[in-house]
Amino acid sequence: MPTEVALLESRALRVERMGRVDILDKVKSLVMLPDGIHVRTEDVARYFEVSTASVRRLTDRHQEEFTENGMRILRGSELRSFHSDMMSLWAREGVESYPQAATQLRLYTRRTVLNVAMLLRDSDIARCVRTYLLDAEDSLRAQYGSLDQRVTRIESCLAGVGAALQELGPVLVRMSERLDSLDRKVERTHQVIGAMSLRLTDVSQDVARLDGRLDCFARQMRDLRRGGRR
């Protein structure tokens, strides 16, 4: 786990942790401008309880890094347009005046404020943010470790299931073959029963014809007896 000193000295480590802006509000409430996106230098200084000069010196010293993380310096028409937007938003909230910068305005996003926290040495608030940041990373690493163990156990169980399925495969094949054989036997039985049914139908017709001939023979015999009596 990286230390606070490593975080202060290594830009690469700071970049890796730049997404954890949620930690800022866990330490202290950060008051944003009405657009909900930006804060000014004085707002950053108030959050970290340091002077605005300390914040400016820090951002000047690491200007490239802060610019990459959202810091902007507004001048001229861009500054006037931004002031106009802020005055409009503040008016909706019932605020009559808005402090305007004369020539330039340095704006910070939450990401930039977190960047300040990872570089500002003479602020208890900044140190607290760094502590939260490192503790949160340690906790997240522990959660990932626990998750990795659970995944490993699941994989071992699946390996056992795979072996069982491999053993069950031949059994299922044999059962399938026996069922196919049984189906063939049932089909042959149906064929035999069908043939027997047809044969019985023929026998029934033969019996009916024999009954007719016997009846005819009986009538002939009766007729002969009557003729002999006469």
Side-chain angles (χ1 to χ4, degrees), residues 1-35:
M1 174 181 173
T3 63
E4 183 179 352
V5 173
L7 195 61
L8 287 165
E9 299 296 334
S10 172
R11 182 173 176 177
L13 289 177
R14 293 193 293 274
V15 170
E16 290 177 1
R17 291 148 185 83
M18 201 56 69
R20 297 304 309 273
V21 295
D22 57 298
I23 288 176
L24 294 171
D25 288 319
K26 292 181 179 179
V27 176
K28 185 180 178 181
S29 178
L30 178 63
V31 179
M32 311 295 291
L33 288 174
D35 63 357

Side-chain angles (χ1 to χ4, degrees), residues 2-153:
T3 63
E4 183 179 352
V5 173
L7 195 61
L8 287 165
E9 299 296 334
S10 172
R11 182 173 176 177
L13 289 177
R14 293 193 293 274
V15 170
E16 290 177 1
R17 291 148 185 83
M18 201 56 69
R20 297 304 309 273
V21 295
D22 57 298
I23 288 176
L24 294 171
D25 288 319
K26 292 181 179 179
V27 176
K28 185 180 178 181
S29 178
L30 178 63
V31 179
M32 311 295 291
L33 288 174
D35 63 357
I37 299 174
H38 298 99
V39 293
R40 302 161 299 177
T41 302
E42 49 265 43
D43 301 318
V44 177
R46 191 177 301 112
Y47 178 84
F48 290 109
E49 300 176 3
V50 296
S51 65
T52 55
S54 297
V55 177
R56 286 196 185 96
R57 283 195 300 269
L58 182 68
T59 54
D60 286 341
R61 194 160 56 246
H62 301 275
Q63 185 170 356
E64 181 185 353
E65 181 176 344
F66 282 111
T67 301
E68 288 181 359
N69 287 310
M71 187 182 76
R72 300 166 56 200
I73 300 177
L74 305 183
R75 299 182 180 88
S77 60
E78 192 176 18
L79 176 60
R80 290 191 295 273
S81 176
F82 182 81
H83 281 325
S84 176
D85 292 341
M86 290 302 102
M87 289 180 67
S88 176
L89 291 172
W90 280 45
R92 293 177 190 175
E93 297 178 3
V95 179
E96 297 180 356
S97 63
Y98 160 69
Q100 302 182 30
T103 58
Q104 69 175 30
L105 177 62
R106 196 170 301 202
L107 293 176
Y108 306 76
T109 62
R110 285 181 175 273
R111 188 180 177 93
T112 324
V113 176
L114 182 61
N115 201 166
V116 173
M118 288 190 277
L119 284 167
L120 190 60
R121 296 175 183 268
D122 55 348
S123 167
D124 291 336
I125 300 298
R127 281 191 288 272
C128 190
V129 171
R130 290 193 291 269
T131 299
Y132 262 88
L133 191 63
L134 296 172
D135 288 348
E137 181 185 348
D138 190 43
S139 174
L140 186 61
R141 185 180 291 106
Q143 292 176 11
Y144 276 128
S146 175
L147 178 61
D148 184 64
Q149 291 175 359
R150 291 199 294 270
V151 170
T152 300
R153 288 197 296 270

